[in-house]
């Protein structure tokens, strides 16, 4: 009889441990999701800045090319 109560107590304790670990997994999954969204946003910002830089270079090239009569060195 005592063994049954002891085993039930162990089962209850293990269930609590499982719940604790499950919550840790859930929290970690949420954190990973946040980091992935941040990474995506930063990549988007980088691409936008890179595109603007390329546009600026092209604009300067066209401006310089037209200012010297279309003759590029």
């Amino acid at each position: 009889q005592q063994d049954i109560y002891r085993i039930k107590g162990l089962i209850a304790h293990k269930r609590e441990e499982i719940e604790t670990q499950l919550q840790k997994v859930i929290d970690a999954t949420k954190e990973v999701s946040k980091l992935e969204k941040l990474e995506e946003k930063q990549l988007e910002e980088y691409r936008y800045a890179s595109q603007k830089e390329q546009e600026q270079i092209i604009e300067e090239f066209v401006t310089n090319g037209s200012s010297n009569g279309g003759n590029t060195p």
Side-chain angles (χ1 to χ4, degrees), residues 1-10:
Q1 191 72 354
Q2 284 183 340
D3 284 344
I4 293 174
Y5 289 123
R6 186 179 58 82
I7 291 171
K8 285 184 179 182
L10 288 173

Side-chain angles (χ1 to χ4, degrees), residues 8-52:
K8 285 184 179 182
L10 288 173
I11 290 172
H13 179 69
K14 292 298 179 185
R15 283 189 177 145
E16 289 175 12
E17 287 181 3
I18 290 169
E19 287 298 318
T20 300
Q21 290 301 318
L22 183 58
Q23 189 59 49
K24 288 179 182 179
V25 170
I26 291 169
D27 292 343
T29 302
K30 288 178 183 178
E31 188 66 24
V32 167
S33 179
K34 286 180 194 177
L35 292 172
E36 286 173 344
K37 287 178 183 179
L38 177 61
E39 179 183 26
E40 189 175 317
K41 182 180 177 183
Q42 288 177 340
L43 181 58
E44 210 173 283
E45 289 172 355
Y46 169 78
R47 286 181 178 156
Y48 178 79
S50 180
Q51 180 182 353
K52 287 299 177 186

